Structures are given as structure tokens and as C-alpha cells.
Amino acid sequence: MAARTMATTAAHKRTLMAQRSDARLAELIATRILPNYTSTTLLDIGCGDGVVSRHLPSQCEYTGLDISDACIYEQRHDNPKVRYVQADQIPDLMRSEGPWDTVLLLDVIEHTRRFTPLFELALTRANQQVVVSLPNELFVLDRLRMLRGHELNAHSLDLLNQPEGFKHQFIVNIAKARTLLSKKAEDAGFALKEEVLRPLVSKRSFHQPILWGMRQLSSDQLWSMGSVFVFQRQG
């Protein structure tokens, strides 16, 4: 099922891509969003096990980079298109290789200490577009979790001794992130082309009318699990 158009404004198009909680976001982006944008070369920062590479056209040259000790999926050292390196090596590799038609930062920059520098570097290394996904941590289930006295897993003190890359450095407000990233993109000659919001698809069918009603009556800050932003080079 392709992403569904929600609205189009002079600024950018907004679409919906419904997602089950057990679905892999990177796989959905690879199959539903990337086919709308032409790429012959693609850099995937924070690639995990390289799942995106399995869904690209054969003519697209894929490069995946992730942190060697912070990949949450099983590392695929048998995949020659994927490399696991130290965190401080990634910017150097981005500068020394490429450029690429498309650069992906899927659920990556919220793990970095200053949020925007990796995105700003990606803008200088992308010929056509930079695709960024971010979680919405004002999502209703996260709010309910905290109201019940539970912490957000990605911000837990249980992660204190984990390598950088596991812990979220910020509680992401999508509206603020959109404004901040759009300004950085504009400064680099890019513009926000599309934002894909991610309403939850419940595993229980009787929950769906409730979720549908929530989308009609409340802000996407409440019902969307996050956003995927496509920034496209202008001119």
C-alpha cells in the first residue's frame, strides 16, 4: 500500500503512511517512499542490517554505514555494501566518498548530541534529496506510558553505559524539528518536498475506529508515531 496523500500546500506535500507497531520503518520507506524519487546512488547512514538495500532497484548503488557497537539489528558483515565503523568516522567517510543522489538518515539524528550537524553534512553530499525520519515522542501512547509512571525506553537511565547511538539525546517535537531542519535545508539550497506522517495501525481491528476518530479530532502531534521528511535540492 503506497503512502496516501493527505494534503498539498505551497510549502510541501503531506501524506499518510499507516504503520503497524511491529513493522520496520526502514523497510516501509524503501518500498513506499523511495520509489517516488530517482536515485542511482544512495547512502544510508544508520543502516542497521542494510534492510533498505534489499528493496532498491538493481541499478541503484547502495552504501550503508552504521556504528559498530550501537547497531540495534544483527550486523551483516557478509554484506559488502554495509560497513560498521566508529561514530567519529562517519562524517569523515561522508566527506571523502560520494556524493550520492540520495542520503538517508532514518531515526538517526535524534541520537546525536547536537541534532543538526549530520543533517547539514548530508545536505552537502546529496545531489538530489536527503530523507530524514524522526519519532514523535509526543505520540499518545508515549504520553500514556509516562502517565502510568513508566519512562520512555530510548531515554532510560538503563542506557547510561551503552555506547553513543542507543540513547535519544532529545525528546523530539516534530513541529519544532520540521522548522529547524527546513531552515537548515533552505540555507543549503534544499526545500522540504514531502512529509509522510505515520498513523498507527492497531493489531486489533476494533481499535481502528478509535484511531480514525483521533486523526479527525486531534493534532498529528498526538496520533502520528513520527514523520519522514524528504528534502530536495532546488534548481
Side-chain angles (χ1 to χ4, degrees):
M1 178 180 176
R4 179 169 66 85
T5 300
M6 180 181 178
T8 302
T9 68
H12 67 277
K13 179 172 66 174
R14 302 181 86 211
T15 58
L16 295 181
M17 182 176 69
Q19 179 182 349
R20 281 174 54 118
S21 60
D22 57 354
R24 286 191 62 177
L25 177 59
E27 200 160 21
L28 293 177
I29 291 172
T31 56
R32 300 187 190 180
I33 298 176
L34 293 184
N36 299 322
Y37 298 91
T38 303
S39 295
T40 56
T41 55
L42 183 145
L43 173 64
D44 185 6
I45 302 296
C47 65
D49 57 4
V51 63
V52 168
S53 67
R54 300 199 286 271
H55 300 280
L56 296 175
S58 58
Q59 66 270 25
C60 183
E61 182 181 334
Y62 174 89
T63 301
L65 293 175
D66 209 336
I67 301 175
S68 57
D69 51 2
C71 176
I72 64 172
Y73 294 103
E74 182 180 357
Q75 296 186 357
R76 295 295 303 271
H77 294 281
D78 59 335
N79 186 344
K81 299 178 180 179
V82 174
R83 282 177 283 171
Y84 300 102
V85 298
Q86 296 303 307
D88 58 3
Q89 292 180 277
I90 289 178
D92 292 337
L93 289 169
M94 291 174 68
R95 293 186 184 98
S96 64
E97 301 180 16
W100 297 267
D101 289 339
T102 300
V103 178
L104 304 183
L105 292 164
L106 306 184
D107 284 8
V108 168
I109 62 174
E110 70 273 18
H111 295 271
T112 63
R113 293 178 182 175
R114 294 174 53 212
F115 195 69
T116 62
L118 197 59
F119 172 67
E120 293 174 75
L121 177 56
L123 292 169
T124 70
R125 308 306 295 152
N127 289 329
Q128 296 181 22
Q129 53 262 333
V130 176
V131 181
V132 179
S133 68
L134 288 169
N136 171 27
E137 292 177 309
L138 302 181
F139 179 52
V140 61
L141 294 186
D142 289 332
R143 299 187 194 202
L144 291 174
R145 180 178 179 83
M146 288 189 286
L147 283 172
R148 292 170 57 198
H150 300 293
E151 59 193 353
L152 297 178
N153 291 334
H155 297 273
S156 172
L157 285 174
D158 293 338
L159 302 177
L160 186 61
N161 295 317
Q162 293 288 350
E164 183 178 356
F166 277 93
K167 182 180 182 296
H168 289 191
Q169 303 295 318
F170 307 90
I171 294 179
V172 178
N173 177 313
I174 289 293
K176 290 182 178 180
R178 181 192 305 115
T179 299
L180 180 60
L181 296 181
S182 294
K183 179 62 170 64
K184 296 292 185 182
E186 182 181 348
D187 291 344
F190 283 71
L192 178 56
K193 173 73 172 179
E194 180 180 10
E195 178 181 358
V196 181
L197 295 91
R198 298 160 41 212
L200 176 66
V201 175
S202 176
K203 298 175 185 177
R204 297 179 174 86
S205 59
F206 61 84
H207 285 165
Q208 283 308 114
I210 299 172
L211 295 172
W212 180 87
M214 188 181 300
R215 291 204 299 271
Q216 309 311 308
L217 299 173
S218 62
S219 162
D220 55 71
Q221 289 277 65
L222 189 66
W223 54 257
S224 176
M225 293 190 292
S227 285
V228 182
F229 300 104
V230 180
F231 296 93
Q232 203 161 53
R233 184 177 290 278
Q234 300 300 288

